[in-house]
Amino acid sequence: MPESEMPTYLFPLVILLSLGLLMTGIGMILNLRILGRLGRLEKAISQSSKSRGVRETPEAEPSSAETSQGGAFETFLSEDPARLRLSKAEQFAAYRQWRDDKGLNWSNS
């Protein structure tokens, strides 16, 4: 038997290893394509939300019912006079925290 010939029982093993490497390569290529598409989608979503001026909910202003005369917002401000010196954004953030601490938010029920 010449040295260059492979035994016949190794052919299926070589074929299976080759197919495994080929499938792994194809899987890696597909994963890279999916990651690229996902990155472009995330970038598009973040740009569209910035262009529409979407603000996060903690920075949103209280509704008119919350800020009406004798409402919870006035109670919040009257509890600590230092809160009146805060900027509006800081007041709203502190108010939301105050409501959360008092259990006045729906999410706590």
Side-chain angles (χ1 to χ4, degrees), residues 18-38:
S18 300
L19 285 174
L21 287 174
L22 178 67
M23 297 301 282
T24 302
I26 291 172
M28 289 176 66
I29 290 170
L30 291 175
N31 281 336
L32 289 174
R33 289 182 62 197
I34 290 171
L35 286 175
R37 288 179 182 177
L38 182 62

Side-chain angles (χ1 to χ4, degrees), residues 49 53-63 66 73 87-97:
S49 65
V54 175
R55 296 193 313 186
E56 296 178 7
T57 53
E59 297 175 5
E61 295 182 10
S63 67
E66 292 174 331
F73 189 67
S87 69
K88 286 293 183 184
E90 291 171 335
Q91 283 180 353
F92 298 146
Y95 174 63
R96 295 242 185 299
Q97 183 62 43

Side-chain angles (χ1 to χ4, degrees), residues 38-109:
L38 182 62
R40 288 191 301 271
L41 183 61
E42 288 175 342
K43 190 182 296 183
I45 289 172
S46 67
Q47 288 175 352
S48 69
S49 65
K50 286 179 186 176
S51 67
R52 285 187 284 144
V54 175
R55 296 193 313 186
E56 296 178 7
T57 53
E59 297 175 5
E61 295 182 10
S63 67
S64 61
E66 292 174 331
T67 58
S68 64
Q69 197 71 355
F73 189 67
E74 283 193 13
T75 305
F76 162 74
L77 291 176
S78 65
E79 283 182 358
D80 185 5
R83 293 175 180 160
L84 291 170
R85 291 188 295 270
L86 297 173
S87 69
K88 286 293 183 184
E90 291 171 335
Q91 283 180 353
F92 298 146
Y95 174 63
R96 295 242 185 299
Q97 183 62 43
W98 178 81
R99 284 183 59 89
D100 195 34
D101 293 342
K102 297 274 187 184
L104 299 174
N105 292 338
W106 285 92
S107 62
N108 290 341
S109 55

